[in-house]
Amino acid sequence: AQSVSQHNHHVILSEAASLELGCNYSYGGTVNLFWYVQYPGQHLQLLLKYFSGDPLVKGIKGFEAEFIKSKFSFNLRKPSVQWSDTAEYFCAVSGTGNTPLVFGKGTRLSVIA
Amino acid sequence: ETGVTQTPRHLVMGMTNKKSLKCEQHLGHNAMYWYKQSAKKPLELMFVYSLEERVENNSVPSRFSPECPNSSHLFLHLHTLQPEDSALYLCASSQDFRGNTIYFGEGSWLTVV
């Protein structure tokens, strides 16, 4: 069965700091990879996704993630965070067949002025 | 507006009550999902319906009973719940049940007293 690990439970950064959130997955086959974000009081929404092709994926709001197959990782990055990036970030993975998304526990990001 | 609408947004129920959560998607999708989001736990997939047939049931207690009358509507019937069932219940949909992007509703906050 697939699983997803997000090692950081809570990350606190100052504005303009660089961000990297770790995500590792466990699955034996070809995967689709996702990052979702949940801003305070809002619904979960897609930040970016990787299905195939260029392993460096760019998403909304300046976020990007890199799929490193050999490390089973899909880390999320942003070069300079803003206060408005304060949210909970969820990594998710599914197989490419009939398998549902499996989510990590989430990482809470707090950006302080 | 996410295209996935959940009602009610907040529900408080006693342990002997019977209530239902409702979800409607306006995206023309063929797969619908119920997830449970609790504090400090990963998003837990509860049920998946694909073309109105249940394709996944992750060992969810029978006090939760899903119903999918058509591809646009999904219900979660609740009966004799326990306080530990208090959580945010998220409905979601995707084009089909094949590792595609999932679109979430805003959730129904359930408190069992």
Short mmCIF file of all heavy atoms in Angstrom, two decimals, chain A residues 9 32 34 36 38 41-46 49 51 88 90 94-106, chain B residues 1-2 9 33 35 37 40-45 48 56 58 88 90 97-107:
data_model
loop_
_atom_site.label_atom_id
_atom_site.label_comp_id
_atom_site.label_asym_id
_atom_site.label_seq_id
_atom_site.Cartn_x
_atom_site.Cartn_y
_atom_site.Cartn_z
N HIS A 9 6.29 18.90 10.88
CA HIS A 9 4.90 19.11 11.30
C HIS A 9 4.54 20.59 11.25
O HIS A 9 3.46 20.97 10.80
CB HIS A 9 4.73 18.55 12.71
CG HIS A 9 3.35 18.76 13.25
ND1 HIS A 9 2.21 18.27 12.64
CD2 HIS A 9 2.91 19.42 14.35
CE1 HIS A 9 1.15 18.62 13.34
NE2 HIS A 9 1.54 19.32 14.39
N ASN A 32 1.47 9.43 -9.57
CA ASN A 32 1.09 10.83 -9.76
C ASN A 32 1.30 11.51 -8.42
O ASN A 32 0.93 10.95 -7.38
CB ASN A 32 -0.36 10.96 -10.19
CG ASN A 32 -0.62 10.35 -11.56
OD1 ASN A 32 0.27 10.30 -12.40
ND2 ASN A 32 -1.83 9.89 -11.78
N PHE A 34 1.14 15.15 -5.95
CA PHE A 34 0.39 16.39 -5.79
C PHE A 34 0.85 17.11 -4.53
O PHE A 34 1.26 16.49 -3.55
CB PHE A 34 -1.11 16.09 -5.61
CG PHE A 34 -1.74 15.27 -6.71
CD1 PHE A 34 -1.57 13.90 -6.75
CD2 PHE A 34 -2.51 15.88 -7.68
CE1 PHE A 34 -2.16 13.14 -7.75
CE2 PHE A 34 -3.10 15.13 -8.69
CZ PHE A 34 -2.93 13.75 -8.71
N TYR A 36 -1.22 19.92 -2.17
CA TYR A 36 -2.44 20.69 -1.92
C TYR A 36 -2.15 21.68 -0.80
O TYR A 36 -1.31 21.43 0.08
CB TYR A 36 -3.59 19.78 -1.48
CG TYR A 36 -4.29 19.06 -2.61
CD1 TYR A 36 -3.76 17.89 -3.14
CD2 TYR A 36 -5.47 19.55 -3.15
CE1 TYR A 36 -4.40 17.23 -4.18
CE2 TYR A 36 -6.11 18.90 -4.18
CZ TYR A 36 -5.57 17.74 -4.69
OH TYR A 36 -6.21 17.09 -5.72
N GLN A 38 -4.10 24.34 2.13
CA GLN A 38 -5.34 24.71 2.82
C GLN A 38 -5.08 25.98 3.62
O GLN A 38 -4.43 25.94 4.67
CB GLN A 38 -5.80 23.58 3.74
CG GLN A 38 -7.19 23.77 4.32
CD GLN A 38 -7.65 22.52 5.07
OE1 GLN A 38 -6.86 21.77 5.63
NE2 GLN A 38 -8.96 22.31 5.08
N GLY A 41 -9.32 28.55 7.20
CA GLY A 41 -10.75 28.71 6.95
C GLY A 41 -11.19 28.42 5.53
O GLY A 41 -12.34 28.67 5.17
N GLN A 42 -10.29 27.90 4.72
CA GLN A 42 -10.65 27.65 3.32
C GLN A 42 -10.54 26.16 2.98
O GLN A 42 -10.05 25.36 3.76
CB GLN A 42 -9.74 28.45 2.39
CG GLN A 42 -9.93 29.95 2.49
CD GLN A 42 -9.21 30.70 1.40
OE1 GLN A 42 -9.01 30.17 0.29
NE2 GLN A 42 -8.80 31.91 1.69
N HIS A 43 -11.00 25.83 1.79
CA HIS A 43 -10.97 24.44 1.37
C HIS A 43 -9.59 24.06 0.84
O HIS A 43 -8.77 24.92 0.53
CB HIS A 43 -12.02 24.21 0.27
CG HIS A 43 -11.72 24.97 -0.99
ND1 HIS A 43 -12.03 26.30 -1.16
CD2 HIS A 43 -11.12 24.59 -2.13
CE1 HIS A 43 -11.64 26.70 -2.34
NE2 HIS A 43 -11.10 25.68 -2.97
N LEU A 44 -9.35 22.77 0.79
CA LEU A 44 -8.12 22.26 0.19
C LEU A 44 -8.12 22.58 -1.30
O LEU A 44 -9.10 22.33 -2.00
CB LEU A 44 -8.07 20.74 0.34
CG LEU A 44 -7.43 20.20 1.60
CD1 LEU A 44 -7.89 18.78 1.85
CD2 LEU A 44 -5.93 20.24 1.47
N GLN A 45 -7.01 23.10 -1.78
CA GLN A 45 -6.94 23.37 -3.21
C GLN A 45 -5.59 22.92 -3.75
O GLN A 45 -4.59 22.90 -3.05
CB GLN A 45 -7.19 24.85 -3.50
CG GLN A 45 -6.32 25.81 -2.73
CD GLN A 45 -6.77 27.25 -2.91
OE1 GLN A 45 -6.60 27.82 -3.97
NE2 GLN A 45 -7.34 27.81 -1.87
N LEU A 46 -5.60 22.61 -5.05
CA LEU A 46 -4.40 22.09 -5.68
C LEU A 46 -3.36 23.20 -5.85
O LEU A 46 -3.67 24.28 -6.35
CB LEU A 46 -4.76 21.50 -7.04
CG LEU A 46 -3.61 20.85 -7.80
CD1 LEU A 46 -3.17 19.57 -7.10
CD2 LEU A 46 -4.04 20.54 -9.23
N LYS A 49 1.00 19.70 -9.48
CA LYS A 49 0.94 18.24 -9.64
C LYS A 49 1.98 17.79 -10.64
O LYS A 49 2.41 18.56 -11.51
CB LYS A 49 -0.46 17.82 -10.10
CG LYS A 49 -0.83 18.36 -11.47
CD LYS A 49 -2.27 18.02 -11.81
CE LYS A 49 -2.63 18.61 -13.17
NZ LYS A 49 -4.08 18.44 -13.47
N PHE A 51 2.55 14.49 -13.23
CA PHE A 51 2.07 13.23 -13.80
C PHE A 51 3.19 12.57 -14.59
O PHE A 51 3.39 11.36 -14.50
CB PHE A 51 0.85 13.47 -14.72
CG PHE A 51 -0.45 13.66 -13.98
CD1 PHE A 51 -0.49 13.80 -12.60
CD2 PHE A 51 -1.65 13.71 -14.66
CE1 PHE A 51 -1.68 13.98 -11.91
CE2 PHE A 51 -2.86 13.90 -13.99
CZ PHE A 51 -2.87 14.02 -12.62
N GLU A 88 -1.68 25.27 5.63
CA GLU A 88 -1.26 23.88 5.81
C GLU A 88 -1.04 23.27 4.43
O GLU A 88 -1.86 23.47 3.52
CB GLU A 88 -2.32 23.09 6.58
CG GLU A 88 -1.89 21.70 6.94
CD GLU A 88 -2.10 21.37 8.42
OE1 GLU A 88 -2.91 22.05 9.06
OE2 GLU A 88 -1.45 20.42 8.91
N PHE A 90 -0.23 19.88 2.10
CA PHE A 90 -0.37 18.43 2.08
C PHE A 90 0.23 17.86 0.80
O PHE A 90 -0.10 18.30 -0.30
CB PHE A 90 -1.85 18.03 2.13
CG PHE A 90 -2.54 18.39 3.40
CD1 PHE A 90 -3.15 19.63 3.54
CD2 PHE A 90 -2.59 17.50 4.46
CE1 PHE A 90 -3.81 19.98 4.72
CE2 PHE A 90 -3.24 17.83 5.64
CZ PHE A 90 -3.85 19.08 5.77
N SER A 94 -0.74 9.10 -5.75
CA SER A 94 -1.59 7.99 -6.18
C SER A 94 -0.85 7.22 -7.26
O SER A 94 0.02 7.76 -7.94
CB SER A 94 -2.92 8.50 -6.72
OG SER A 94 -2.74 9.07 -7.99
N GLY A 95 -1.21 5.95 -7.38
CA GLY A 95 -0.71 5.18 -8.50
C GLY A 95 -1.44 5.63 -9.75
O GLY A 95 -2.43 6.35 -9.69
N THR A 96 -0.98 5.22 -10.90
CA THR A 96 -1.59 5.69 -12.14
C THR A 96 -2.76 4.81 -12.56
O THR A 96 -3.44 5.12 -13.51
CB THR A 96 -0.56 5.73 -13.27
OG1 THR A 96 0.09 4.45 -13.35
CG2 THR A 96 0.48 6.80 -13.01
N GLY A 97 -2.99 3.73 -11.84
CA GLY A 97 -4.17 2.91 -12.12
C GLY A 97 -5.34 3.38 -11.29
O GLY A 97 -5.44 4.54 -10.93
N ASN A 98 -6.21 2.47 -10.94
CA ASN A 98 -7.38 2.81 -10.14
C ASN A 98 -7.02 2.87 -8.66
O ASN A 98 -7.44 2.04 -7.88
CB ASN A 98 -8.50 1.81 -10.37
CG ASN A 98 -9.14 2.01 -11.72
OD1 ASN A 98 -8.93 3.02 -12.38
ND2 ASN A 98 -9.90 1.03 -12.15
N THR A 99 -6.25 3.84 -8.29
CA THR A 99 -5.88 3.99 -6.88
C THR A 99 -6.18 5.42 -6.45
O THR A 99 -5.89 6.37 -7.16
CB THR A 99 -4.39 3.71 -6.65
OG1 THR A 99 -3.61 4.54 -7.52
CG2 THR A 99 -4.07 2.25 -6.92
N PRO A 100 -6.77 5.58 -5.28
CA PRO A 100 -7.10 6.92 -4.83
C PRO A 100 -5.88 7.64 -4.27
O PRO A 100 -4.86 7.03 -4.01
CB PRO A 100 -8.12 6.66 -3.72
CG PRO A 100 -7.72 5.33 -3.17
CD PRO A 100 -7.17 4.55 -4.33
N LEU A 101 -6.02 8.92 -4.09
CA LEU A 101 -4.96 9.72 -3.48
C LEU A 101 -4.76 9.31 -2.02
O LEU A 101 -5.73 9.12 -1.29
CB LEU A 101 -5.33 11.19 -3.51
CG LEU A 101 -5.05 12.00 -4.76
CD1 LEU A 101 -5.32 13.46 -4.48
CD2 LEU A 101 -3.63 11.81 -5.22
N VAL A 102 -3.51 9.24 -1.63
CA VAL A 102 -3.16 9.06 -0.23
C VAL A 102 -2.40 10.32 0.19
O VAL A 102 -1.47 10.75 -0.50
CB VAL A 102 -2.28 7.82 -0.02
CG1 VAL A 102 -1.76 7.75 1.41
CG2 VAL A 102 -3.06 6.57 -0.37
N PHE A 103 -2.81 10.88 1.32
CA PHE A 103 -2.25 12.15 1.76
C PHE A 103 -1.24 11.94 2.89
O PHE A 103 -1.37 11.01 3.69
CB PHE A 103 -3.36 13.07 2.26
CG PHE A 103 -4.16 13.70 1.17
CD1 PHE A 103 -5.20 13.00 0.57
CD2 PHE A 103 -3.89 14.98 0.73
CE1 PHE A 103 -5.95 13.57 -0.45
CE2 PHE A 103 -4.63 15.56 -0.29
CZ PHE A 103 -5.66 14.85 -0.88
N GLY A 104 -0.29 12.84 2.97
CA GLY A 104 0.56 12.93 4.15
C GLY A 104 -0.17 13.65 5.27
O GLY A 104 -1.29 14.12 5.09
N LYS A 105 0.47 13.74 6.44
CA LYS A 105 -0.16 14.35 7.60
C LYS A 105 -0.24 15.87 7.50
O LYS A 105 -0.93 16.51 8.29
CB LYS A 105 0.61 13.99 8.87
CG LYS A 105 0.45 12.55 9.30
CD LYS A 105 1.09 12.31 10.66
CE LYS A 105 0.88 10.88 11.08
NZ LYS A 105 1.44 10.61 12.42
N GLY A 106 0.47 16.43 6.57
CA GLY A 106 0.42 17.87 6.40
C GLY A 106 1.54 18.57 7.15
O GLY A 106 2.04 18.08 8.17
N GLU B 1 -15.54 29.54 -4.59
CA GLU B 1 -16.41 28.54 -5.20
C GLU B 1 -15.57 27.40 -5.77
O GLU B 1 -14.69 27.61 -6.60
CB GLU B 1 -17.23 29.18 -6.33
CG GLU B 1 -18.12 28.20 -7.10
CD GLU B 1 -19.12 27.49 -6.17
OE1 GLU B 1 -19.77 28.19 -5.36
OE2 GLU B 1 -19.23 26.27 -6.26
N THR B 2 -15.79 26.21 -5.27
CA THR B 2 -14.91 25.11 -5.65
C THR B 2 -15.54 24.19 -6.67
O THR B 2 -14.88 23.32 -7.21
CB THR B 2 -14.56 24.27 -4.42
OG1 THR B 2 -15.71 23.51 -4.03
CG2 THR B 2 -14.14 25.14 -3.26
N ARG B 9 -22.48 23.13 6.77
CA ARG B 9 -21.08 23.44 7.02
C ARG B 9 -20.69 23.10 8.45
O ARG B 9 -19.54 22.76 8.73
CB ARG B 9 -20.81 24.93 6.77
CG ARG B 9 -20.97 25.36 5.31
CD ARG B 9 -19.92 24.72 4.40
NE ARG B 9 -18.58 24.81 4.94
CZ ARG B 9 -17.83 25.90 4.89
NH1 ARG B 9 -18.27 26.99 4.31
NH2 ARG B 9 -16.61 25.90 5.40
N TYR B 33 -15.80 11.28 -3.43
CA TYR B 33 -15.06 10.76 -2.28
C TYR B 33 -15.56 11.39 -0.99
O TYR B 33 -15.98 12.55 -0.97
CB TYR B 33 -13.58 11.12 -2.39
CG TYR B 33 -12.91 10.80 -3.69
CD1 TYR B 33 -13.11 11.60 -4.82
CD2 TYR B 33 -12.05 9.71 -3.80
CE1 TYR B 33 -12.48 11.30 -6.03
CE2 TYR B 33 -11.41 9.42 -4.99
CZ TYR B 33 -11.63 10.22 -6.10
OH TYR B 33 -11.00 9.92 -7.29
N TYR B 35 -13.65 12.09 2.67
CA TYR B 35 -12.44 12.04 3.47
C TYR B 35 -12.78 12.56 4.87
O TYR B 35 -13.65 13.41 5.04
CB TYR B 35 -11.36 12.97 2.90
CG TYR B 35 -10.58 12.41 1.73
CD1 TYR B 35 -11.05 12.58 0.43
CD2 TYR B 35 -9.38 11.76 1.92
CE1 TYR B 35 -10.33 12.10 -0.66
CE2 TYR B 35 -8.65 11.27 0.84
CZ TYR B 35 -9.13 11.45 -0.44
OH TYR B 35 -8.41 10.96 -1.51
N GLN B 37 -10.94 14.51 8.08
CA GLN B 37 -9.76 15.27 8.49
C GLN B 37 -9.83 15.54 9.99
O GLN B 37 -10.67 16.30 10.45
CB GLN B 37 -9.66 16.58 7.70
CG GLN B 37 -8.36 17.33 7.96
CD GLN B 37 -8.20 18.58 7.10
OE1 GLN B 37 -9.16 19.14 6.59
NE2 GLN B 37 -6.96 19.02 6.91
N LYS B 40 -4.02 16.46 13.70
CA LYS B 40 -2.78 15.70 13.83
C LYS B 40 -2.83 14.32 13.18
O LYS B 40 -2.06 13.44 13.53
CB LYS B 40 -2.37 15.56 15.31
CG LYS B 40 -2.09 16.90 15.96
CD LYS B 40 -1.63 16.75 17.40
CE LYS B 40 -1.42 18.13 18.00
NZ LYS B 40 -1.06 18.06 19.42
N LYS B 41 -3.72 14.12 12.25
CA LYS B 41 -3.79 12.85 11.53
C LYS B 41 -3.82 13.14 10.04
O LYS B 41 -4.30 14.19 9.63
CB LYS B 41 -5.08 12.10 11.88
CG LYS B 41 -5.08 11.35 13.17
CD LYS B 41 -6.36 10.54 13.24
CE LYS B 41 -6.35 9.63 14.42
NZ LYS B 41 -7.57 8.78 14.43
N PRO B 42 -3.34 12.21 9.23
CA PRO B 42 -3.46 12.44 7.79
C PRO B 42 -4.92 12.43 7.37
O PRO B 42 -5.75 11.86 8.07
CB PRO B 42 -2.73 11.24 7.17
CG PRO B 42 -2.11 10.49 8.27
CD PRO B 42 -2.73 10.93 9.55
N LEU B 43 -5.17 13.03 6.23
CA LEU B 43 -6.49 12.91 5.64
C LEU B 43 -6.79 11.43 5.42
O LEU B 43 -6.02 10.72 4.81
CB LEU B 43 -6.53 13.61 4.29
CG LEU B 43 -6.86 15.09 4.30
CD1 LEU B 43 -6.46 15.72 2.99
CD2 LEU B 43 -8.34 15.30 4.55
N GLU B 44 -7.93 10.99 5.94
CA GLU B 44 -8.28 9.58 5.82
C GLU B 44 -9.36 9.40 4.77
O GLU B 44 -10.45 9.98 4.89
CB GLU B 44 -8.83 9.06 7.16
CG GLU B 44 -7.87 9.16 8.33
CD GLU B 44 -8.58 8.86 9.64
OE1 GLU B 44 -9.12 7.74 9.78
OE2 GLU B 44 -8.62 9.74 10.52
N LEU B 45 -9.05 8.59 3.77
CA LEU B 45 -10.06 8.28 2.77
C LEU B 45 -11.07 7.33 3.38
O LEU B 45 -10.70 6.30 3.94
CB LEU B 45 -9.39 7.64 1.55
CG LEU B 45 -10.33 7.21 0.44
CD1 LEU B 45 -11.02 8.41 -0.18
CD2 LEU B 45 -9.56 6.44 -0.62
N VAL B 48 -15.06 5.80 -1.71
CA VAL B 48 -14.94 6.29 -3.07
C VAL B 48 -16.09 5.71 -3.88
O VAL B 48 -16.37 4.51 -3.79
CB VAL B 48 -13.62 5.85 -3.73
CG1 VAL B 48 -13.51 6.44 -5.13
CG2 VAL B 48 -12.43 6.27 -2.89
N GLU B 56 -14.36 1.76 -3.08
CA GLU B 56 -13.40 1.72 -1.98
C GLU B 56 -14.14 1.98 -0.68
O GLU B 56 -14.97 2.89 -0.60
CB GLU B 56 -12.32 2.79 -2.17
CG GLU B 56 -11.18 2.73 -1.18
CD GLU B 56 -9.90 2.22 -1.79
OE1 GLU B 56 -9.87 1.89 -2.98
OE2 GLU B 56 -8.90 2.16 -1.06
N ASN B 58 -12.69 2.01 3.19
CA ASN B 58 -11.49 1.77 3.98
C ASN B 58 -11.79 1.43 5.43
O ASN B 58 -11.48 2.20 6.33
CB ASN B 58 -10.57 3.01 3.91
CG ASN B 58 -9.75 3.01 2.64
OD1 ASN B 58 -9.81 2.10 1.86
ND2 ASN B 58 -9.00 4.07 2.44
N LEU B 88 -13.59 17.15 10.62
CA LEU B 88 -14.02 17.82 9.40
C LEU B 88 -14.18 16.74 8.33
O LEU B 88 -13.25 15.98 8.07
CB LEU B 88 -12.97 18.85 8.95
CG LEU B 88 -13.27 19.61 7.66
CD1 LEU B 88 -14.49 20.52 7.83
CD2 LEU B 88 -12.05 20.45 7.25
N LEU B 90 -14.73 15.90 4.53
CA LEU B 90 -14.52 16.54 3.24
C LEU B 90 -15.06 15.67 2.12
O LEU B 90 -14.76 14.48 2.04
CB LEU B 90 -13.03 16.77 3.00
CG LEU B 90 -12.36 17.77 3.92
CD1 LEU B 90 -10.85 17.66 3.81
CD2 LEU B 90 -12.80 19.17 3.59
N PHE B 97 -11.84 7.77 -11.38
CA PHE B 97 -11.11 7.19 -10.27
C PHE B 97 -9.81 6.60 -10.83
O PHE B 97 -9.65 5.40 -10.94
CB PHE B 97 -11.99 6.10 -9.63
CG PHE B 97 -11.33 5.35 -8.52
CD1 PHE B 97 -10.71 6.01 -7.48
CD2 PHE B 97 -11.33 3.96 -8.51
CE1 PHE B 97 -10.10 5.32 -6.46
CE2 PHE B 97 -10.73 3.26 -7.49
CZ PHE B 97 -10.12 3.93 -6.46
N ARG B 98 -8.89 7.48 -11.18
CA ARG B 98 -7.66 6.99 -11.79
C ARG B 98 -6.51 7.93 -11.51
O ARG B 98 -5.78 8.33 -12.39
CB ARG B 98 -7.86 6.85 -13.30
CG ARG B 98 -7.07 5.73 -13.92
CD ARG B 98 -7.38 5.59 -15.39
NE ARG B 98 -8.75 5.21 -15.65
CZ ARG B 98 -9.39 5.50 -16.79
NH1 ARG B 98 -8.79 6.16 -17.73
NH2 ARG B 98 -10.64 5.11 -16.96
N GLY B 99 -6.36 8.31 -10.24
CA GLY B 99 -5.22 9.13 -9.86
C GLY B 99 -5.26 10.54 -10.41
O GLY B 99 -4.23 11.19 -10.52
N ASN B 100 -6.45 11.02 -10.77
CA ASN B 100 -6.55 12.38 -11.28
C ASN B 100 -6.62 13.41 -10.16
O ASN B 100 -6.77 13.07 -9.00
CB ASN B 100 -7.82 12.51 -12.14
CG ASN B 100 -7.61 11.88 -13.51
OD1 ASN B 100 -6.51 11.87 -14.02
ND2 ASN B 100 -8.67 11.34 -14.07
N THR B 101 -6.56 14.66 -10.55
CA THR B 101 -6.69 15.75 -9.58
C THR B 101 -8.04 15.67 -8.90
O THR B 101 -9.07 15.50 -9.55
CB THR B 101 -6.54 17.10 -10.29
OG1 THR B 101 -5.29 17.14 -10.97
CG2 THR B 101 -6.61 18.24 -9.28
N ILE B 102 -8.00 15.81 -7.59
CA ILE B 102 -9.22 15.79 -6.80
C ILE B 102 -9.58 17.21 -6.40
O ILE B 102 -8.70 18.00 -6.03
CB ILE B 102 -9.02 14.91 -5.55
CG1 ILE B 102 -9.01 13.45 -5.97
CG2 ILE B 102 -10.10 15.15 -4.52
CD1 ILE B 102 -8.89 12.50 -4.79
N TYR B 103 -10.84 17.53 -6.49
CA TYR B 103 -11.33 18.85 -6.11
C TYR B 103 -12.18 18.70 -4.86
O TYR B 103 -13.12 17.90 -4.83
CB TYR B 103 -12.15 19.47 -7.25
CG TYR B 103 -11.32 19.72 -8.49
CD1 TYR B 103 -11.10 18.70 -9.41
CD2 TYR B 103 -10.74 20.96 -8.70
CE1 TYR B 103 -10.31 18.92 -10.52
CE2 TYR B 103 -9.95 21.18 -9.82
CZ TYR B 103 -9.74 20.16 -10.72
OH TYR B 103 -8.95 20.38 -11.82
N PHE B 104 -11.85 19.49 -3.86
CA PHE B 104 -12.48 19.35 -2.56
C PHE B 104 -13.56 20.39 -2.32
O PHE B 104 -13.47 21.53 -2.81
CB PHE B 104 -11.44 19.50 -1.44
CG PHE B 104 -10.55 18.32 -1.28
CD1 PHE B 104 -9.37 18.22 -2.01
CD2 PHE B 104 -10.88 17.30 -0.41
CE1 PHE B 104 -8.54 17.12 -1.87
CE2 PHE B 104 -10.05 16.19 -0.26
CZ PHE B 104 -8.89 16.10 -1.00
N GLY B 105 -14.57 20.01 -1.54
CA GLY B 105 -15.51 20.97 -0.99
C GLY B 105 -14.92 21.62 0.24
O GLY B 105 -13.79 21.31 0.67
N GLU B 106 -15.67 22.52 0.83
CA GLU B 106 -15.17 23.26 1.99
C GLU B 106 -15.30 22.47 3.29
O GLU B 106 -14.75 22.87 4.30
CB GLU B 106 -15.90 24.60 2.10
CG GLU B 106 -15.57 25.51 0.92
CD GLU B 106 -16.17 26.89 1.05
OE1 GLU B 106 -17.15 27.05 1.80
OE2 GLU B 106 -15.65 27.81 0.40
N GLY B 107 -16.00 21.37 3.24
CA GLY B 107 -16.05 20.51 4.41
C GLY B 107 -17.26 20.76 5.29
O GLY B 107 -17.86 21.84 5.27
#
